[in-house]
Amino acid sequence: MMNQILFAGVIGLFLTLIGTPLLIKLLARKGYGQYIRDDGPREHASKRGTPTMGGIAFIFATVAAYFLSKLITGNPPSYTGLLVLGLMCGMGLVGFLDDYIKIVKRRSLGLRAKAKMAGQLIVGIAFAVLSLQFSDARGNTPASTKLSFITDFGWTIGPVLFVVWALFMILAMSNGVNLTDGLDGLATGASVLVFGAYTFIGVWQFQESCANGETLTNPNACYEVRDPLDLAVISAALMGACLGFLWWNTSPAKIFMGDTGSLALGGVLTGLAICSRTELLVAIMGGLFVLITMSVVIQVGSFKLTGKRVFRMAPLQHHFELKGWSEVLVVVRFWIIQGICVIVGLGIFYAGWAAEK
């Protein structure tokens, strides 16, 4: 069973390592280059024309790695796995349309705000509604109408409020990754760390599933998660695919992920959090995305209320660029911040399990 995780990770890595340069050549031949706004850091002007929409590479690689790992091991796909992958592809499609309009139609802001929001809402609602269906033999559906931190807690909020909550998470995380994707390799490397953590969480929840009965290490702290092993398989596929893409996306980037990639990564990360019952924990493990999003909120709020800016430029990574940090220095230090967030998140996850002994 665990071979699925290894196969998914290796296949995802292999496909993006060899597939991304082919995508770069295709996008370059069609002239699908990145638009660089004039109000950004001046050093970024040299990036104008770099192929974008690179998210296509790791979306395809992740889906292919998931199904090939299933085919090789003879295990059928799960409803949870299909829903999480569907959320990733749906959000990626919205991002692709946004990128396409920016590049091909030469409209710098891409999709109209209402159209982009409508697309995200349609995908998010479909995921949220379907995730409350398809119960297993124990009555577990892919998602739960209870809020969760390291597992479900509190009272049931009901299906309507759950859909609203799921939409908030999807929009917040996808836009958080989108804002983080401003420097070469920053969002990709940060995502690798979070997906590595979710691979561990999926494996742990599978081993400590309440369905395992007498073989449990700690019967008082078992997990009622519908398909934890499949969540680990998807996480491993994403980790491998993003690592392979990072080879080409690191500074100086040969390709950018674009909104195609950032919206897809934010969507699938939310799907993993909801289905693994770690909805609030993801805000800690994805702490860099939260930090960068908050820098934009603070900047906009301060300017509207006082007419003054807190940072030289938002999102936060550009503030440090304008302070004189090199792009690579910002990226590596932000990766360290993300790594610390992941370690803290995993520590809290394990401590919650151990505390029930």
Side-chain angles (χ1 to χ4, degrees):
M1 296 291 284
M2 304 297 285
N3 286 342
Q4 298 176 67
I5 298 172
L6 177 61
F7 285 132
V10 171
I11 293 170
L13 174 64
F14 177 76
L15 288 178
T16 47
L17 275 177
I18 65 169
T20 304
L22 300 177
L23 180 62
I24 292 172
K25 291 179 181 178
L26 174 63
L27 294 172
R29 187 164 61 245
K30 290 184 173 293
Y32 292 175
Q34 177 70 35
Y35 169 83
I36 302 296
R37 295 178 62 175
D38 295 329
D39 57 354
R42 286 176 295 178
E43 293 79 4
H44 289 201
S46 61
K47 300 181 181 184
R48 184 174 284 111
T50 302
T52 188
M53 296 193 289
I56 294 171
F58 56 73
I59 291 172
F60 171 80
T62 300
V63 174
Y66 175 79
F67 284 105
L68 285 174
S69 69
K70 293 293 180 181
L71 182 64
I72 293 170
T73 59
N75 293 291
S78 70
Y79 287 115
T80 303
L82 295 176
L83 282 172
V84 172
L85 290 176
L87 178 60
M88 177 184 70
C89 293
M91 294 297 289
L93 177 59
V94 175
F96 173 81
L97 293 174
D98 192 41
D99 287 333
Y100 184 83
I101 291 173
K102 286 178 186 174
I103 298 164
V104 179
K105 302 299 182 182
R106 304 296 178 185
R107 197 167 78 208
S108 63
L109 295 179
L111 275 174
R112 309 267 181 211
K114 290 183 179 179
K116 189 174 183 179
M117 179 63 73
Q120 291 176 303
L121 289 176
I122 290 170
V123 174
I125 290 172
F127 168 80
V129 172
L130 291 174
S131 67
L132 295 178
Q133 315 301 319
F134 313 113
S135 57
D136 63 9
R138 296 180 62 85
N140 292 321
T141 53
S144 167
T145 54
K146 289 185 176 181
L147 295 178
S148 60
F149 182 37
I150 55 177
T151 187
D152 285 341
F153 70 88
W155 58 90
T156 300
I157 62 175
V160 175
L161 285 180
F162 167 76
V163 171
V164 174
W165 170 240
L167 285 175
F168 169 77
M169 287 189 63
I170 291 168
L171 293 174
M173 190 58 71
S174 59
N175 288 309
V177 177
N178 184 252
L179 290 170
T180 304
D181 182 35
L183 301 181
D184 295 354
L186 177 57
T188 310
S191 297
V192 167
L193 295 171
V194 184
F195 292 134
Y198 268 106
T199 302
F200 171 81
I201 287 175
V203 171
W204 189 269
Q205 289 180 334
F206 174 70
Q207 293 176 338
E208 299 297 326
S209 172
C210 296
N212 292 340
E214 296 180 357
T215 64
L216 290 170
T217 306
N218 182 5
N220 296 322
C222 64
Y223 298 95
E224 287 287 4
V225 176
R226 191 190 191 284
D227 301 295
L229 184 62
D230 253 29
L231 296 179
V233 172
I234 292 173
S235 300
L238 282 160
M239 181 173 61
C242 287
L243 269 175
F245 181 76
L246 183 60
W247 183 269
W248 306 101
N249 180 234
T250 194
S251 182
K254 301 294 188 296
I255 188 170
F256 300 135
M257 69 169 67
D259 282 12
T260 306
S262 60
L263 295 188
L265 290 180
V268 74
L269 182 54
T270 306
L272 291 170
I274 290 173
C275 293
S276 64
R277 312 296 198 266
T278 55
E279 295 164 357
L280 299 180
L281 185 65
V282 75
I284 297 175
M285 293 203 300
L288 180 64
F289 305 134
V290 176
L291 178 65
I292 288 177
T293 301
M294 290 306 300
S295 73
V296 175
V297 173
I298 292 169
Q299 183 85 326
V300 173
S302 176
F303 187 75
K304 287 186 175 181
L305 292 174
T306 68
K308 297 180 180 180
R309 293 179 172 87
V310 176
F311 307 105
R312 295 187 181 186
M313 182 179 289
L316 188 61
Q317 61 267 34
H318 299 319
H319 166 79
F320 289 102
E321 278 192 292
L322 294 181
K323 286 191 68 175
W325 292 18
S326 69
E327 180 174 5
V328 173
L329 181 62
V330 175
V331 169
V332 172
R333 285 181 172 173
F334 275 38
W335 282 351
I336 293 172
I337 292 172
Q338 180 62 74
I340 293 171
C341 292
V342 165
I343 291 170
V344 171
L346 287 176
I348 292 172
F349 178 80
Y350 177 79
W353 176 84
E356 295 297 327
K357 281 192 173 183

